[in-house]
Amino acid sequence: MSNDLISRSELLNRLRGNVLVEVTPELEKEIQEFPTAYDVDKVAEQVEHSSWRQKVMNRFMRRM
């Protein structure tokens, strides 16, 4: 897979729905403690968008 980012909660939900897997408290804990993966480009885009939005709001507020 080219994009293997997963949601911890989605993984747990799918495992809970699988009759072949017993989701124990220990398994839940291991999944919750697993390091988070993220898409660097998406994070950068969100930061850029957030910064742009803040600049627009600042300009708008100065005009009032």
Side-chain angles (χ1 to χ4, degrees):
M1 296 182 135
S2 64
N3 185 356
D4 62 350
L5 302 178
I6 62 169
S7 160
R8 292 176 184 154
S9 58
E10 181 63 26
L11 173 60
L12 285 168
N13 287 337
R14 288 183 181 226
L15 289 175
R16 286 184 187 112
N18 185 328
V19 296
L20 301 175
V21 177
E22 180 183 356
V23 180
T24 64
E26 292 81 15
L27 177 58
E28 286 189 27
K29 182 180 179 212
E30 286 298 317
I31 290 173
Q32 292 299 334
E33 291 177 353
F34 203 78
T36 303
Y38 58 92
D39 182 333
V40 174
D41 293 332
K42 189 171 184 177
V43 171
E45 180 181 320
Q46 290 174 346
V47 168
E48 183 178 302
H49 181 71
S50 175
S51 297
W52 177 83
R53 183 184 308 153
Q54 186 61 42
K55 288 177 186 176
V56 169
M57 289 302 295
N58 288 343
R59 287 182 184 170
F60 177 76
M61 295 303 286
R62 277 188 243 144
R63 292 180 182 173
M64 294 184 86

